[in-house]
Amino acid sequence: VGRWDAQDQVYVVTEAEAHSWPEVYFPDYGWIPFEPTGGRPALEREAAPVTSANGGANGSQTEEEALTAFGDFNRPAIDWNWQMLFWLLPLGLLIWGGAWLAIRWRQRREDPWLALVGWGARQGRPMDDEETSLEYGRALGQHIETHVRQPSDSSRTAAREVVALSDDVTRARYGPVSARASAQEQAAARWARLRGYLRRLRLGEIEG
């Protein structure tokens, strides 16, 4: 630890106290320290095997002693068994539930019209700058009916709901002030239903 300086109340440590030792890597066991310097005490490092006093001519462990001492130290700390599923299953359900609530919260807060315009842009029918909400709703509904590869009840319903949603949004923005709140709620409820129909119309089902 060096020399104690009583005047300055500190330890003075010089290069005379410096010392180093090697660590040898053994596959499947890791790095194991050795003390090769004669006259030095055996290494006592936390979480590492204690070197043998008679392990070799220079006081270091032999390879066999090191492997024997280090074997239990590298044993896996966790033994997996079926009982751990009783802990992992509730944890997984908790994570899944949190993710589901986060998705639902995000869906409730998203703007129905912006979400619909974004979906239309991904399907190859973006909204033009000069189009109104009603015009784009009719155009996007026609785009769905025209370009879906296999027309079905879902695609026809989705086209009608798109037009109806554009009408809800128009009334929520430009209708009488007293009716805007109810129109906005109707638009949100319609988008919640429409989202399911649009999800069934996968990208590969619509011709670009």
Side-chain angles (χ1 to χ4, degrees):
V1 296
R3 176 180 54 84
W4 173 251
D5 190 327
Q7 182 177 353
D8 295 334
Q9 296 293 302
V10 295
Y11 280 100
V12 178
V13 182
T14 65
E15 290 186 359
E17 284 78 36
H19 182 66
S20 63
W21 57 85
E23 293 187 1
V24 181
Y25 181 80
F26 293 97
D28 301 328
Y29 293 93
W31 292 92
I32 300 178
F34 289 85
E35 175 55 77
T37 306
R40 289 276 183 172
L43 286 176
E44 296 182 2
R45 301 179 63 189
E46 184 178 357
V50 179
T51 54
S52 173
N54 57 0
N58 54 7
S60 64
Q61 281 184 310
T62 64
E63 179 177 342
E64 182 179 356
E65 291 173 337
L67 295 180
T68 302
F70 211 70
D72 292 336
F73 177 74
N74 277 275
R75 181 176 298 170
I78 300 177
D79 292 330
W80 293 93
N81 53 60
W82 290 103
Q83 294 180 352
M84 299 193 66
L85 292 178
F86 291 101
W87 296 94
L88 296 178
L89 184 59
L91 180 61
L93 292 176
L94 181 63
I95 295 175
W96 179 86
W100 183 83
L101 290 176
I103 293 174
R104 294 287 297 175
W105 178 83
R106 181 179 179 182
Q107 290 177 349
R108 291 177 181 177
R109 290 181 59 88
E110 69 179 349
D111 185 279
W113 184 248
L114 294 179
L116 177 64
V117 172
W119 182 87
R122 292 192 297 272
Q123 303 305 319
R125 184 50 177 91
M127 184 178 182
D128 295 333
D129 294 336
E130 65 275 7
E131 284 183 316
T132 65
S133 302
L134 286 174
E135 291 173 342
Y136 180 68
R138 297 190 186 98
L140 183 58
Q142 185 178 4
H143 179 80
I144 293 174
E145 291 183 337
T146 304
H147 293 82
V148 68
R149 293 180 178 177
Q150 295 180 351
S152 62
D153 292 340
S154 297
S155 62
R156 286 186 286 270
T157 302
R160 291 195 301 268
E161 289 293 297
V162 165
V163 176
L165 179 60
S166 67
D167 182 67
D168 295 338
V169 171
T170 300
R171 289 188 293 106
R173 291 180 176 178
Y174 309 110
V177 176
S178 59
R180 291 183 181 179
S182 60
Q184 183 65 35
E185 293 178 359
Q186 186 173 353
R190 191 182 303 277
W191 171 246
R193 297 192 303 271
L194 178 58
R195 188 191 300 112
Y197 290 106
L198 298 181
R199 191 178 294 116
R200 297 187 187 101
L201 300 178
R202 302 180 185 275
L203 297 178
E205 296 180 356
I206 295 183
E207 299 175 352

